[in-house]
Amino acid sequence: MTYADFFSEIKGKFMEADISDITEHLAYQFNITGEGEGIFYVEAKEGKLYVEPYEYYDRDAMFTCTAETLMKIAEGKTDPVWAVTTQKLKVEGSIDKALKLKEIIDSRKKKK
């Protein structure tokens, strides 16, 4: 899988999220390793979600994982906390804000 293919698919998954309940600003950078390697960011701002293929220097947290791991997290098949515990997902930055990623992922299930 190329980075372009992966990014297109993962962006679609994130854009399914209903973040209208999230009032704080959240900014995450994702560093994808291995197949589909690349960098992108997800930003929750004023009730809207932005997903762009760029680095985000003013981020709250940075996640590093494989494309496969992030896809499983985005699909709700893998809990992000479990992924960190098993060292499949590395987190740097604000742990409190990083934990809000689960809220974004879970909001996809409610929307469906």
Side-chain angles (χ1 to χ4, degrees), residues 69-83:
T69 297
L70 186 56
M71 195 59 72
K72 285 179 181 177
I73 291 169
E75 292 171 345
K77 294 178 181 174
T78 298
D79 180 78
V81 175
W82 181 84

Side-chain angles (χ1 to χ4, degrees), residues 1 18 21 24 26 30 34-35 46 55 76 80 89 100-101:
M1 174 183 292
D18 175 5
D21 293 349
E24 68 186 299
L26 301 171
F30 291 86
E35 187 179 358
E46 298 171 359
E55 288 188 59
L89 178 66
K100 302 276 182 180
L101 175 65

Side-chain angles (χ1 to χ4, degrees), residues 23-40:
T23 56
E24 68 186 299
H25 178 263
L26 301 171
Y28 304 128
Q29 179 174 310
F30 291 86
N31 297 334
I32 305 305
T33 60
E35 187 179 358
E37 182 175 337
I39 294 173
F40 70 96

Side-chain angles (χ1 to χ4, degrees), residues 6-103:
F6 168 73
F7 178 74
S8 177
E9 193 171 340
I10 200 73
K11 181 175 182 174
K13 298 233 181 273
F14 273 109
M15 295 310 289
E16 292 173 3
D18 175 5
I19 65 156
S20 56
D21 293 349
I22 298 175
T23 56
E24 68 186 299
H25 178 263
L26 301 171
Y28 304 128
Q29 179 174 310
F30 291 86
N31 297 334
I32 305 305
T33 60
E35 187 179 358
E37 182 175 337
I39 294 173
F40 70 96
Y41 74 86
V42 174
E43 179 181 30
K45 181 173 155 182
E46 298 171 359
K48 292 187 179 169
L49 198 64
Y50 302 89
V51 182
E52 297 297 333
Y54 309 109
E55 288 188 59
Y56 196 102
Y57 295 103
D58 194 22
R59 61 191 171 253
D60 297 308
M62 182 169 60
F63 300 95
T64 303
C65 64
T66 64
E68 179 184 12
T69 297
L70 186 56
M71 195 59 72
K72 285 179 181 177
I73 291 169
E75 292 171 345
K77 294 178 181 174
T78 298
D79 180 78
V81 175
W82 181 84
V84 170
T85 303
T86 58
Q87 299 181 346
K88 292 186 181 286
L89 178 66
K90 294 182 182 131
V91 182
E92 294 177 39
S94 169
I95 297 302
D96 288 340
K97 294 229 179 182
L99 288 169
K100 302 276 182 180
L101 175 65
K102 186 162 172 36
E103 286 181 40

